[in-house]
Amino acid sequence: QVQLVESGGGLVQPGGSLRLSCAASGSAFRFVGMGWYRRAPGKQRELVAAITSGNTTTYSYSVKGRFTISRDVALKSVYLQMNSLKPEDTAVYYCYSEGTLGGRDWGQGTQVTVSS
C-alpha cells in the first residue's frame, strides 16, 4: 500500500506562513490526484485543496487566495503553502492520495496551530 509521510506543521503567529509537505512511497503509488484535508476539534472535516495529475488545482472558499497547493512529480510529493494564516486555520492537516482503484491513502496528519 502507498505510504504518505507529512511534515512541516507547527506553531505560527497570525499572519504568518507555513509550508506542509507530503511524500509518497510504495510500489503501488501512481499520481492520480492528491490533496489536503483538515480537521479542527469540534469542526467537520474540510477539503482544503486538491491537485490533479493534469496540475489543475481547487481550493475551499475559506483558503482561496491564501493557500497554494503544488507538487513535485519526481519527488512524489505534494505541498501546501499557507500564507496569511488565521487562528481558524488551526487544525490537523491530512494529506491524501487517490488510488488507482478509486480508494484513498492517507497520511497521519500534521498539527498546525495559529496563535499569538
Side-chain angles (χ1 to χ4, degrees):
Q1 199 64 41
V2 172
Q3 300 284 95
L4 300 175
V5 180
E6 304 167 16
S7 62
L11 175 64
V12 65
Q13 295 182 357
S17 297
L18 211 58
R19 185 173 186 256
L20 306 184
S21 299
C22 174
S25 63
S27 61
F29 177 78
R30 300 290 187 274
F31 197 99
V32 179
M34 299 183 74
W36 297 87
Y37 276 84
R38 67 184 180 187
R39 190 196 306 272
K43 304 285 184 63
Q44 65 179 358
R45 189 178 65 178
E46 176 187 22
L47 176 63
V48 177
I51 187 167
T52 69
S53 61
N55 216 32
T56 299
T57 59
T58 58
Y59 300 92
S60 70
Y61 179 81
S62 62
V63 307
K64 285 182 180 178
R66 300 189 297 119
F67 290 11
T68 302
I69 188 170
S70 61
R71 62 173 181 165
D72 188 320
V73 176
L75 295 178
K76 298 189 291 185
S77 297
V78 64
Y79 309 95
L80 186 66
Q81 178 66 46
M82 305 184 294
N83 298 327
S84 302
L85 283 162
K86 305 174 180 179
E88 50 262 47
D89 295 318
T90 296
V92 178
Y93 285 70
Y94 298 89
C95 173
Y96 74 85
S97 176
E98 297 179 1
T100 57
L101 298 180
R104 283 180 174 176
D105 295 293
W106 294 90
Q108 291 185 290
T110 184
Q111 176 71 48
V112 172
T113 302
V114 184
S115 176
S116 59

